[in-house]
Amino acid sequence: MKPFFIIVVSSVFLAAFPAKAGSDWGRGYPIYRITEEGGGLGIFVDSVVVVTRPEDDRWVAERWREDNVLTKKKIAHDWIDSRACPQFAAVLASLATLPKNGVLTPDRAESRSLAFDVTTVSVTGPASVDGETLITLSDRLGPIHDWWRRSEEALQPCWQADPPKVGGVPLSPGLGPTNARGGPESD
């Protein structure tokens, strides 16, 4: 039931930002959305990263992350500008390594274990060149989760508190406490 919920929530969010056709596709609209939620043993994560492409052909990521450790909550709202982070392009290129279907190979199926204290990572993005068809890949302790662990490590030094500027004007935030997942009523 949960994967269906993630697909529905992601689809509703992305439908609010229609993709443009042709060469302007994706400019200023979310192209990729990465979510991470869950945890256990007193540590819980709720994170959303939205990747866009502003008018000047660079990539920008905006992240809203809430970490709850026991009784302490830490919130981060930060940004990555691909001009200042060369590893960002490598992370986006590595999306091609993710499995395109949800069928486990026999070696992965046999080694699966139940884990209740890990996060679920989901990646939503275009499944067709025109951007009209979206796909959501999601797992716990699998290739999507592993990809995001490696990506987070590579991107760690790139996150900045100030939004990038386009034409001298800071980008407007699209994520926050009430709209990190599409609105407060979607939780």
Side-chain angles (χ1 to χ4, degrees), residues 114-174:
L114 292 176
F116 299 104
D117 59 349
V118 297
T119 59
T120 299
V121 175
S122 300
V123 179
T124 300
S128 64
V129 175
D130 65 4
E132 295 296 320
T133 305
L134 300 173
I135 187 170
T136 298
L137 304 171
S138 182
D139 72 22
R140 302 170 69 171
L141 294 178
I144 312 299
H145 188 272
D146 295 344
W147 168 81
W148 187 236
R149 289 280 82 72
R150 290 187 306 274
S151 297
E152 278 188 307
E153 187 175 314
L155 296 174
Q156 186 58 39
C158 297
W159 293 107
Q160 303 293 319
D162 295 325
K165 294 181 180 180
V166 175
V169 178
L171 288 173
S172 298

